[in-house]
Each structure stands twice: as structure tokens, then as C-alpha cells.
Amino acid sequence: MAAQAAAAAQAAAAQAAQAEAAESWYLALLGFAEHFRTSSPPKIRLCVHCLQAVFPFKPPQRIEARTHLQLGSVLYHHTKNSEQARSHLEKAWLISQQIPQFEDVKFEAASLLSELYCQENSVDAAKPLLRKAIQISQQTPYWHCRLLFQLAQLHTLEKDLVSACDLLGVGAEYARVVGSEYTRALFLLSKGMLLLMERKLQEVHPLLTLCGQIVENWQGNPIQKESLRVFFLVLQVTHYLDAGQVKSVKPCLKQLQQCIQTISTLHDDEILPSNPADLFHWLPKEHMCVLVYLVTVMHSMQAGYLEKAQKYTDKALMQLEKLKMLDCSPILSSFQVILLEHIIMCRLVTGHKATALQEISQVCQLCQQSPRLFSNHAAQLHTLLGLYCVSVNCMDNAEAQFTTALRLTNHQELWAFIVTNLASVYIREGNRHQEVLYSLLERINPDHSFPVSSHCLRAAAFYVRGLFSFFQGRYNEAKRFLRETLKMSNAEDLNRLTACSLVLLGHIFYVLGNHRMGRLRSHSQKLQTQA
């Protein structure tokens, strides 16, 4: 018995020594690989060689799987060798599934591999991979939530918003069960954002009400709490702006601006949350700051505060340039494109046409760097070119650009905006397109079936019909339409529409020989006071 015990002890010691030796060579190679990866500049080839040197030692499965993951990650993030990256990540995913309690490697491999599949346009391979990972990750709250977010994002990119909303609903319920009200709010707010995109307003209102209650009641990390509040308020502000309610949005916009000021004074807390399901953050606070500038610019443009729009655009673009030196996040390019789209319209209104054309060229260059960005903004680009053509009185070119934009968009509000501008082009061209013009005006008839709920666009449609009636010499009808425009634009402080309507009404009264324009004068004085 003693001899057996001694032999067993000797074998255990030999195994321990072997394991220690294995660990030492592995740690040495890993240390060299990390040194080369973090060098300035990074020495990726040497990093890869160090990691590849692990395999000839016939390492245990855990080390083998982790090394495949590390190699796949380095090749994916730092090289264009997607084939080798995919091969290593697939091996990491396959091997790690055979190892118990190896969740981090297993699910990180699944997450990275699905990203790579999407990058290669193999979405049909990414979906089942994520679904399987979600199915087996239910005992790992962080990864389960992260993978649900990732699959929901994939469905969103495919425009399958119904499936994305369903997944976010599942995530919200899971977060509630595991006791994470913070992540539950993130799931619900993300779902609310998609419902707004789908224009499902009856579902949005109760959801945002619930989100507001969760955000106010949650007690946790101050930056996380304020970031939830920013997310919530951004949704409210964009909802009002989409509805063209420039005046009604002001209290929410003011709260949002105060909230971002609060966040900028808070220091990042390095203490990790006790609940692993809370290990998420919506956006870095620097990105949130740019986003608040962006919605402020959107509001200023709708309200006609062009100097304010210019001021906040300059601030936002300056911050974006600093961020893009350190961060290549695609969302920054999206912010930049949307800001430029708004400031281009501002330039055209203020007569700075050459600058507007230069900025349109800049938007084109940004969109050419990303196929997805170009796809999402192609209709807006043609719309901006159409507006530029109108500003330089090239009506045939304007018509061609607006017609192309209409073919490229499924967005109802953008469609209505384009049609309204195209109708104004046809009105200015006289009798050349009467039949088409009548068809367009019927499709944006605010008296009957207007296709969108936007207060601003509906007021603009009344103005265009008033303009058409004026050119037709039907002055009483024109006055009726323009008074409707004034009523709606005054209700929501749509100052540019108010100004255009007053000018045209004044011209009508002049033509009719009616020089008693006291009400018009009071409207003009009010507009000057607001400006």
C-alpha cells in the first residue's frame, strides 16, 4: 500500500511539473505576443507567429481553444486575412463547446465569428450561430444579454424590425428575471427606438412611459443612470421632431441638454457592477455629447433658427474630428453625415451655395467609405442635390434628382418632403407638368389623406397648395391654404414657414388692392420678436 501511495504521489508530482512547464512556455509565448500587439506601431506578424508557436507543443484543449480565439481576434481586427481569421474562430467555437465551464472563450468566439460572417455577407451563417449561442448561454447573464443585443442588431440591419423587437422583448424579460433593471431599461429603450422607426406609435407611448418609470426608480452608477436618461430623452425629442412639433419638444430638449451637462461633470466609476447583467453601456459620454448637439441642430433647422444650427453644427463637427482620430466607430460617421445634411440645407437657405456644394461632396466621400452608409443616405444625397439645383435655378436637374430620390426611399417623411419640393419645382415651371403636378398635389393633400403624421410637413403641404393656387390666380383659395399654414406654423413656432406664408399673403393682398394688413403686420412683428 505504501509503495502504491508513493507511486501515485510521484505520478501526481510529475503531472504537476508537466502542467507547470506547459504553463510557463504558454505564458512566455502569450507575453511575447501581447508585447508585439501593443508595440507602437503594432508588430502583428510577430504577434501571430508567437501565438502559432503554441500549437506544436500539443497544448491542452483549453489552451488550444483560447489560442485559436486570440489568433482569430488578432487576424480579424488587425489584418485583411478574413479566411484565416474565420478558420481560427470556427475552431475556437467548436473546441470550446466540448469544454465545461469555458463560457468566456465559447461565447466570445461565437460573437466574433458572427461579426465576421456578417462582414463577409454570410448573414445566413451568422443567425443560426447566434441562436445556438443564445440557447446555451442562459446561465451566463452577461453573454446571454450581449448575444441577444447582437442578433437584434443583425435583424435591424436587415430591416427585419419585427424580429429585432421580439428579441429585445425577450431580453427585457430575461433581464427582469435575473434582477437587472438597468439592462431591462436598455432592452426596452432599444425596442422603443425600433418601434419609432416602424411608426408604431400606439405601442411606443406605453413603452416609453414604462421606461421613464424604470429609469427614475433605478438606483445605481450615476453615469449609467444619466446615460439611460439621455437615451430616454433622445427618443422623446426625436419622436417630437419626426412629428414636426418644434414648440412641444422644447421642454424635453431642455432636459436633455441639462442631462448631458450633468454627465460631463461625472467621473467614470471603475467599480464593476455586482450583477454581471449590468455590464453594459449605451454610448460613451463623448458620443452622447455629439448626439445631443445633433438633435439640437435638427430642432434649430425645423424652427428656423439658422444661426443656432450653424453654431451647434460647428461644435459637433469639431468634437467629431477629435473623436475620429482615436475611434473608428461607424456611428461617428453616421453622426457626421446627418450633421452635414442639415447644415447643407442651412447653407442653401442662407445663400451660401458654393459651400453647400463642397459639403455635399464631403458627404459623398464619407458615404463611399461605407456601403451601408451610402445605402442609408443615397436618397438624402439626391434630395440635397435637388435642393441645390433649385437654388441655382436648374429646374430640369432638380426634377431629375428629386425623382431619383423618390425611387430610393421607403421612408414616409422623407418621401413627403421630396414630393413637396418636387411639386414646388413643377409649379415654378408653369404648365409643362400639369398632369403630374395635379397627381402629386393629390397625394399630399392635407385636407384629406396626408400620408404622414408630421405637423411640419402637413403645414408645408398647405403652403405648396397655396403657392399653386396663387400661380393659378385663385387668390381666395390661396388665402385659405396660407392661413392654414400660418395657423399650424404659429402653433409650433415653424418660423420659416410663417415667414414664407406672410410674404405670399402680403403679395396676394397687394395684387387684390387690399392694403389693410394689420394682422399680417402683427404676425411679422411676432416673428421678428421670436428671431
Side-chain angles (χ1 to χ4, degrees):
M1 292 290 292
Q4 289 177 346
Q10 190 175 7
Q15 285 181 346
Q18 186 179 1
E20 187 177 345
E23 187 177 339
S24 63
W25 61 255
Y26 172 63
L27 291 177
L29 287 171
L30 200 62
F32 276 123
E34 185 63 9
H35 166 73
F36 291 130
R37 189 186 71 83
T38 56
S39 296
S40 183
K43 299 174 182 177
I44 299 303
R45 184 185 296 275
L46 293 175
C47 171
V48 169
H49 285 332
C50 287
L51 291 171
Q52 286 174 332
V54 170
F55 298 122
F57 284 93
K58 305 294 183 186
Q61 273 194 324
R62 284 177 173 269
I63 290 179
E64 184 183 1
R66 190 179 294 278
T67 304
H68 279 302
L69 172 61
Q70 289 162 332
L71 268 167
S73 178
V74 168
L75 291 166
Y76 173 60
H77 288 115
H78 298 281
T79 75
K80 295 181 179 179
N81 197 335
S82 59
E83 188 176 340
Q84 278 196 31
R86 183 177 67 250
S87 174
H88 283 294
L89 291 172
E90 285 173 344
K91 288 175 183 174
W93 167 239
L94 183 65
I95 297 169
S96 62
Q97 289 179 77
Q98 303 165 20
I99 304 172
Q101 298 179 342
F102 207 44
E103 281 76 9
D104 281 353
V105 170
K106 186 188 310 178
F107 299 127
E108 187 174 349
S111 177
L112 273 177
L113 186 54
S114 67
E115 275 186 35
L116 192 150
Y117 284 152
C118 290
Q119 193 179 75
E120 295 178 334
N121 295 317
S122 302
V123 176
D124 290 338
K127 286 180 186 174
L129 170 63
L130 284 173
R131 289 194 194 103
K132 183 173 182 182
I134 287 167
Q135 184 182 359
I136 63 177
S137 65
Q138 294 191 35
Q139 303 305 314
T140 314
Y142 167 74
W143 278 109
H144 190 66
C145 291
R146 177 169 163 177
L147 293 164
L148 281 167
F149 274 126
Q150 191 169 345
L151 185 54
Q153 183 183 31
L154 192 146
H155 282 299
T156 302
L157 293 174
E158 285 197 304
K159 312 294 184 187
D160 183 3
L161 300 186
V162 174
S163 297
C165 282
D166 288 343
L167 281 164
L168 293 170
V170 169
E173 179 58 21
Y174 176 83
R176 186 192 66 80
V177 170
V178 299
S180 174
E181 287 295 284
Y182 168 76
T183 302
R184 181 189 177 202
L186 280 180
F187 275 114
L188 290 174
L189 288 165
S190 300
K191 183 178 178 180
M193 179 172 64
L194 297 189
L195 290 172
L196 282 173
M197 290 167 64
E198 286 191 284
R199 299 294 181 266
K200 292 187 175 179
L201 302 184
Q202 290 183 339
E203 296 179 45
V204 167
H205 294 145
L207 185 67
L208 286 183
T209 301
L210 174 61
C211 289
Q213 293 168 354
I214 294 172
V215 170
E216 290 307 313
N217 294 333
W218 185 70
Q219 300 299 321
N221 183 303
I223 286 186
Q224 286 183 309
K225 185 178 178 71
E226 290 302 313
S227 72
L228 284 180
R229 188 176 280 123
V230 169
F231 196 171
F232 172 71
L233 288 169
V234 163
L235 291 186
Q236 285 199 315
V237 168
T238 51
H239 179 33
Y240 277 118
L241 292 178
D242 279 348
Q245 296 175 328
V246 174
K247 185 177 181 180
S248 304
V249 77
K250 285 182 179 179
C252 287
L253 183 58
K254 188 174 181 180
Q255 285 182 57
L256 178 59
Q257 292 164 341
Q258 290 171 343
C259 194
I260 201 67
Q261 287 179 347
T262 301
I263 284 184
S264 64
T265 64
L266 296 173
H267 297 289
D268 292 326
D269 194 346
E270 297 297 332
I271 300 172
L272 293 177
S274 57
N275 190 335
D278 285 344
L279 288 168
F280 294 95
H281 200 62
W282 175 49
L283 281 177
K285 60 183 179 181
E286 295 82 8
H287 293 198
M288 284 189 271
C289 183
V290 174
L291 181 57
V292 174
Y293 280 141
L294 173 56
V295 295
T296 304
V297 169
M298 292 166 67
H299 174 263
S300 300
M301 282 299 299
Q302 280 200 37
Y305 303 140
L306 302 184
E307 287 186 8
K308 190 175 180 182
Q310 174 71 60
K311 169 187 165 186
Y312 283 105
T313 299
D314 289 344
K315 286 186 175 183
L317 290 175
M318 192 182 302
Q319 180 135 351
L320 273 170
E321 287 303 319
K322 292 178 183 175
L323 290 173
K324 289 182 81 171
M325 291 178 187
L326 305 170
D327 187 349
C328 58
S329 173
I331 198 170
L332 295 178
S333 295
S334 295
F335 287 163
Q336 189 172 1
V337 167
I338 298 169
L339 280 162
L340 286 169
E341 287 171 353
H342 281 79
I343 203 60
I344 288 163
M345 290 188 284
C346 183
R347 307 280 194 214
L348 293 173
V349 171
T350 55
H352 297 88
K353 301 166 192 176
T355 307
L357 194 57
Q358 290 172 354
E359 288 166 341
I360 291 172
S361 174
Q362 190 179 346
V363 173
C364 288
Q365 290 170 7
L366 283 166
C367 288
Q368 284 173 347
Q369 296 168 14
S370 164
R372 185 175 296 140
L373 201 60
F374 184 79
S375 172
N376 289 339
H377 291 268
Q380 289 92 320
L381 265 171
H382 285 286
T383 303
L384 291 170
L385 285 167
L387 293 172
Y388 171 79
C389 292
V390 170
S391 74
V392 294
N393 211 31
C394 295
M395 295 303 165
D396 288 342
N397 291 331
E399 179 193 355
Q401 294 295 337
F402 288 141
T403 304
T404 303
L406 285 174
R407 286 201 309 270
L408 293 172
T409 188
N410 294 317
H411 191 279
Q412 283 189 321
E413 276 74 11
L414 180 58
W415 179 89
F417 178 79
I418 297 166
V419 168
T420 304
N421 280 282
L422 182 57
S424 70
V425 168
Y426 289 150
I427 290 169
R428 289 175 63 174
E429 287 195 295
N431 297 320
R432 284 181 57 197
H433 304 280
Q434 287 295 299
E435 190 174 332
V436 180
L437 177 56
Y438 278 114
S439 172
L440 286 179
L441 291 175
E442 191 55 38
R443 294 172 76 184
I444 55 166
N445 188 343
D447 279 331
H448 299 295
S449 53
F450 195 63
V452 295
S453 59
S454 171
H455 182 95
C456 181
L457 286 172
R458 192 161 176 264
F462 272 119
Y463 174 79
V464 169
R465 292 185 73 85
L467 186 67
F468 178 62
S469 299
F470 168 75
F471 277 101
Q472 294 287 306
R474 301 195 300 270
Y475 297 125
N476 286 331
E477 184 179 88
K479 283 192 290 183
R480 182 180 77 81
F481 286 129
L482 293 170
R483 281 170 177 151
E484 280 298 321
T485 305
L486 273 176
K487 188 192 304 182
M488 294 186 72
S489 55
N490 281 335
E492 287 293 342
D493 290 348
L494 305 172
N495 295 323
R496 283 168 56 203
L497 269 177
T498 300
C500 291
S501 303
L502 288 172
V503 169
L504 193 51
L505 270 173
H507 199 72
I508 290 170
F509 286 136
Y510 179 78
V511 170
L512 294 173
N514 182 358
H515 304 294
R516 295 180 62 188
M517 297 185 289
R519 292 180 66 187
L520 279 181
R521 191 174 295 110
S522 65
H523 278 306
S524 300
Q525 289 169 348
K526 178 183 176 184
L527 193 61
Q528 289 173 350
T529 303
Q530 289 174 337

